[in-house]
Amino acid sequence: METTRVAMIVELIGTSDESWEAAAQVAIKEARKTIHGIHGIKIKEMTARADPETGRLVEYRTGMDLSFGVLD
């Protein structure tokens, strides 16, 4: 028996002042408001913004592809 699954991919960018993982969670939480059946994510990019005075990281950004099933 053969089966086929259809999935959509959307690109998301989440931000957080805590960590890259928290930034990813922010993006997923927001996506779940309108997207159901999320299967997984693929992290594409992790970047951060540094404070020019202290050099400390002040904002984390996580870019990802999020996949979810499409129903007929």
Side-chain angles (χ1 to χ4, degrees):
M1 177 185 221
E2 295 181 21
T3 61
T4 302
R5 292 186 179 187
V6 178
M8 292 282 295
I9 308 285
V10 294
E11 186 173 345
L12 303 171
I13 299 172
T15 61
S16 169
D17 59 358
E18 295 174 19
S19 67
W20 285 289
E21 181 180 357
Q25 289 294 335
V26 166
I28 293 168
K29 182 178 179 182
E30 187 65 24
R32 290 191 68 224
K33 292 179 181 177
T34 57
I35 298 172
H36 303 284
I38 295 171
H39 292 287
I41 64 168
K42 176 183 178 184
I43 302 296
K44 295 173 58 176
E45 181 175 51
M46 294 189 299
T47 60
R49 185 171 60 86
D51 181 309
E53 300 294 321
T54 64
R56 298 190 68 182
L57 298 180
V58 293
E59 182 182 66
Y60 299 86
R61 299 180 193 116
T62 302
M64 69 188 81
D65 284 341
L66 180 138
S67 65
F68 59 98
V70 178
L71 302 175
D72 295 331

